[in-house]
Amino acid sequence: MEQSIGRIEHVLKLMRYVKGMWRYLVLSALANLLYKILPIVLSVTLSYMIGLTATGKIHDIRQWFFVVLAMILGLVVMSYLNVLISHDMAYRILAKLRSAAYRKIDEIAPAGMEARQSGELISIVLEDVELLEWFYAHTIGQIMTACMIPLMVFVVLWLISPILTLSLLPFVLALILIPIFGIHKSNEQGFETRKQFANLNAQMIDGVQGLKDIISFQWQQNFFRRFSEVNEKYHDAQMRYALRSADEMRLFQMIVGVGSLAGQIIALMLAINGRIPISQLIPIFILCSAVFSPIMDALTMSTNYGLIFSAAKRLFDLFQSQSVVIDHGEKNVESVLGGNENGDYRIRVVLKDVHFSYPEDHGRQTNRVLKGLSFEFSTGETVALVGASGSGKSTVAKLLQRFWDVDSGSIEINNVDIRSLRRKSLRKLVTMVPQEAYLFNMSIEKNLLLANPEAHVSSLYQAAADAQAASFINRLPDKYETVVGERGLKLSGGEKQRLSIAQAFLKDSPILILDEISANLDSENEKRINEAVERIKAGRATLVIAHRVSTMRAADRVVVIRDGCVVGNGSYSLLLDTCPYFKELIGEEYVE
């Protein structure tokens, strides 16, 4: 019983994320109770009328006509209201839960999401939430009905003859105990089924997103093999859950059948012995079945409780996820820019003795990525960050945007620790142009306006022109209204990169981070993008994660990282003379 309460608790606790819905739940439960009571009352009334007529105790049934008619009309109305209220309430709750789930993802991202697969999150936000519709639309009302109707029937049967109530009670208790004893197995199988479905979902998304590479590398058979293995595990989990549920249902049906028969036989014996009127025999038969009917409805749903409560636990666990970076900052942009946002300011970014390591599961940590890293860059200066793969270059970019917090040391902008800034203010100060631009499946104009939703159309056109993107946009049939497709698949890599630079122009942040954005492009696109980059760097403090020697040469200063520490800091030519590791890194062919 304690486990049962524990798993229901997860569903009920989710209600804290959908405030204001409790009254709908109560109203839905009452509507379901009336909807289930009316058919029983109607059947008992009609059977009692038949009994009275058969025994000659009633000759004119017109007096009953309006009573029965009112019950029939009430049943029709309650049938409509039960569906309307329960489903309207459930869908409102699901919509709020999905919104709350996405807000939580937004809150803990990106650091809190790095260990999760996108397919798993989609499974939680969509499929797991959808499963909860069974609980909110049906289960709560059914549980209340399963408690109230048998209690009322037992009272009526007790008034007729206590023997009837006592004869049915053991069977009702048996029905209740079966799912309680099966809780552990139900929870275990339900969780495994939802887990395997999430894995299948993640595998499918990987296959769709990586389809071009799968085809290119002729990896179809291997992928299908992996997909089949995951699909088979989901199938096995489903089958184990379904077989256990079917066994429970057969047991339920056997107990209900034997219990109803026992009650009816006892009622018949009581009637034969003259202890109850014959006219009450048919109503008692109906009541003997009615005591089990709502319990069976609830127990039929209970075969899905393992799935429902496992889905609720997965969603609740998501809501309980803690953000790795806590936004306790109180300072805003003005505190950094000195109240001067008209462009007449200087920015100085300083990393002081920064130590950082990525956390892993169970409290274990990876090897420290940054070990006392220190350097700075200022407005009007372009600093190239250079190092071998895994040296911490991308980590520096993440820390500057406060996707993670440093373990020790500090990152300051104009002597203001970025941890004392509101994250929203920090994101206004820093713009990251990634190596691979992500575009949403909407128009070019809407994608650009993500950077500055309030930008005037003239600013948008100017940003596109400055980013060398206006020429190809104007050649498109729908120009700025062209929908770029999922992840911008309708555009080339160079075109997507130019739109990413246009976004940076629109956002107009004083600090710019570039992740070698001209890499892997043809010479024409590289030339255009380099022209756009030179334009956007003007008047900004720019940090470039550099891989190409040409990028290092073009920078005002190069910072060389090795094993999380700065081992060289100066101009390209100075480092050639003073930093042996730098010469080793770029290759002998570039050493003059």
Side-chain angles (χ1 to χ4, degrees):
M1 180 63 73
E2 196 171 307
Q3 283 183 315
S4 179
I5 293 172
R7 61 182 189 164
I8 292 176
E9 185 181 15
H10 285 121
V11 189
L12 298 179
K13 278 184 176 179
L14 291 176
M15 293 302 293
R16 74 177 65 166
Y17 302 98
V18 286
K19 294 178 180 177
M21 298 302 296
W22 277 109
R23 62 181 181 273
Y24 290 101
L25 281 171
V26 173
L27 188 61
S28 173
L30 289 174
N32 185 262
L33 179 61
L34 289 172
Y35 172 63
K36 292 296 178 65
I37 286 176
L38 277 173
I40 298 173
V41 175
L42 180 60
S43 298
V44 169
T45 301
L46 289 172
S47 62
Y48 185 61
M49 287 170 55
I50 293 170
L52 291 176
T53 304
T55 56
K57 295 180 179 179
I58 185 173
H59 303 285
D60 186 2
I61 64 169
R62 285 178 296 180
Q63 57 185 327
W64 295 88
F65 175 77
F66 290 106
V67 175
V68 173
L69 180 61
M71 290 182 186
I72 293 172
L73 292 176
L75 181 59
V76 172
V77 171
M78 290 314 303
S79 173
Y80 173 75
L81 290 178
N82 179 53
V83 174
L84 176 66
I85 296 172
S86 63
H87 286 83
D88 178 61
M89 175 269 301
Y91 296 145
R92 286 175 186 270
I93 291 176
L94 300 191
K96 288 191 174 187
L97 284 175
R98 288 194 186 99
S99 297
Y102 191 81
R103 282 195 297 271
K104 170 55 72 171
I105 291 172
D106 178 65
E107 176 190 328
I108 64 177
M113 307 308 299
E114 291 197 358
R116 293 175 178 266
Q117 290 182 295
S118 57
E120 178 195 4
L121 290 171
I122 291 172
S123 174
I124 292 173
V125 176
L126 296 181
E127 285 86 2
D128 284 351
V129 171
E130 191 67 30
L131 270 175
L132 295 178
E133 188 268 342
W134 288 353
F135 183 84
Y136 294 118
H138 307 289
T139 306
I140 292 179
Q142 286 180 343
I143 291 175
M144 180 177 174
T145 301
C147 294
M148 295 299 296
I149 290 181
L151 183 61
M152 289 186 284
V153 171
F154 276 153
V155 169
V156 173
L157 291 176
W158 184 276
L159 293 174
I160 296 172
S161 175
I163 297 175
L164 291 171
T165 298
L166 295 174
S167 66
L168 295 174
L169 192 57
F171 297 98
V172 171
L173 292 176
L175 283 177
I176 296 171
L177 289 174
I178 289 171
I180 291 176
F181 286 129
I183 281 175
H184 178 72
K185 183 63 71 175
S186 176
N187 285 347
E188 184 181 273
Q189 292 180 344
F191 185 81
E192 181 64 19
T193 301
R194 298 313 302 160
K195 175 185 172 183
Q196 293 302 334
F197 181 79
N199 291 340
L200 179 63
N201 206 29
Q203 189 73 17
M204 176 63 78
I205 289 174
D206 275 350
V208 172
Q209 291 183 344
L211 191 57
K212 288 193 297 184
D213 292 320
I214 290 172
I215 294 172
S216 175
F217 293 119
Q218 295 292 296
W219 203 58
Q220 291 97 325
Q221 282 190 327
N222 286 322
F223 178 79
F224 290 151
R225 190 180 304 114
R226 290 179 61 187
F227 182 82
S228 297
E229 288 173 359
V230 176
N231 196 27
E232 189 65 27
K233 288 180 180 178
Y234 177 52
H235 168 266
D236 291 343
Q238 278 186 309
M239 282 302 298
R240 285 192 294 270
Y241 192 93
L243 291 173
R244 180 197 53 78
S245 299
D247 289 341
E248 283 188 3
M249 283 304 302
R250 283 192 291 270
L251 197 53
F252 293 155
Q253 289 166 355
M254 183 186 73
I255 292 173
V256 168
V258 174
S260 298
L261 180 60
Q264 291 166 1
I265 290 173
I266 290 173
L268 190 59
M269 291 172 62
L270 290 173
I272 292 172
N273 294 327
R275 298 178 63 179
I276 60 172
I278 294 296
S279 59
Q280 293 181 3
L281 196 57
I282 299 178
I284 290 173
F285 284 179
I286 292 172
L287 290 174
C288 286
S289 297
V291 75
F292 294 109
S293 180
I295 298 176
M296 271 299 293
D297 288 341
L299 291 176
T300 300
M301 184 60 68
S302 78
T303 59
N304 293 316
Y305 286 172
L307 294 176
I308 294 171
F309 297 135
S310 295
K313 184 180 185 305
R314 281 156 51 86
L315 182 60
F316 185 72
D317 287 345
L318 173 63
F319 284 140
Q320 293 299 105
S321 301
Q322 296 298 314
S323 177
V324 177
V325 177
I326 308 299
D327 189 12
H328 289 319
E330 296 181 353
K331 295 183 179 180
N332 52 25
V333 174
E334 289 79 7
S335 63
V336 173
L337 302 182
N340 188 352
E341 293 188 70
N342 60 6
D344 185 20
Y345 52 76
R346 283 190 61 79
I347 288 288
R348 181 167 172 263
V349 181
V350 180
L351 287 83
K352 294 182 180 178
D353 193 29
V354 172
H355 292 258
F356 177 76
S357 56
Y358 289 101
E360 286 192 349
D361 295 333
H362 311 299
R364 294 181 294 108
Q365 289 192 316
T366 58
N367 293 328
R368 195 170 292 277
V369 180
L370 302 180
K371 309 168 185 176
L373 188 78
S374 297
F375 71 93
E376 62 181 74
F377 59 102
S378 306
T379 298
E381 183 180 28
T382 298
V383 170
L385 199 58
V386 178
S389 178
S391 60
K393 302 187 298 297
S394 297
T395 298
V396 170
K398 292 176 182 178
L399 293 175
L400 278 169
Q401 298 171 86
R402 210 174 165 222
F403 290 169
W404 298 86
D405 274 335
V406 299
D407 296 338
S408 63
S410 65
I411 300 175
E412 297 178 358
I413 303 174
N414 286 357
N415 299 316
V416 176
D417 193 311
I418 63 173
R419 288 170 292 192
S420 66
L421 282 168
R422 296 190 185 97
R423 277 193 298 184
K424 197 171 183 180
S425 297
L426 177 62
R427 304 286 160 80
K428 287 182 180 179
L429 292 169
V430 181
T431 292
M432 171 81 177
V433 182
Q435 192 173 83
E436 184 176 347
Y438 189 98
L439 297 176
F440 291 90
N441 188 22
M442 51 190 185
S443 69
I444 289 175
E445 179 178 344
K446 288 180 179 177
N447 269 290
L448 293 180
L449 288 175
L450 288 174
N452 185 359
E454 298 177 0
H456 190 270
V457 65
S458 59
S459 300
L460 185 143
Y461 292 156
Q462 185 61 51
D466 290 340
Q468 301 285 318
S471 56
F472 86 80
I473 293 174
N474 288 321
R475 288 198 300 269
L476 297 171
D478 297 320
K479 297 182 170 56
Y480 287 85
E481 294 302 317
T482 301
V483 176
V484 299
E486 186 177 2
R487 301 171 67 196
L489 289 176
K490 293 182 180 180
L491 302 177
S492 70
E495 290 168 341
K496 287 192 289 185
Q497 203 60 269
R498 280 182 265 171
L499 290 182
S500 182
I501 297 172
Q503 289 176 325
F505 272 112
L506 271 181
K507 188 177 177 184
D508 196 25
S509 300
I511 301 171
L512 184 66
I513 304 172
L514 303 173
D515 189 1
E516 193 70 281
I517 58 177
S518 61
N520 306 317
L521 297 176
D522 59 78
S523 57
E524 178 62 27
N525 269 308
E526 182 180 0
K527 178 184 176 183
R528 289 180 177 275
I529 286 173
N530 286 337
E531 289 173 2
V533 166
E534 288 304 313
R535 189 174 288 113
I536 197 173
K537 288 193 303 185
R540 291 180 171 84
T542 305
L543 180 68
V544 180
I545 298 174
H547 305 283
R548 291 186 173 191
V549 172
S550 59
T551 305
M552 302 174 200
R553 281 174 171 164
D556 299 306
R557 199 155 38 86
V558 178
V559 173
V560 184
I561 302 178
R562 184 179 190 180
D563 296 328
C565 300
V566 173
V567 296
N569 189 342
S571 66
Y572 178 84
S573 57
L574 177 64
L575 290 176
L576 285 178
D577 295 332
T578 60
C579 184
Y581 177 68
F582 180 64
K583 290 193 290 185
E584 177 188 330
L585 198 64
I586 64 175
E588 292 295 329
E589 65 270 23
Y590 293 102
V591 179
E592 296 175 358

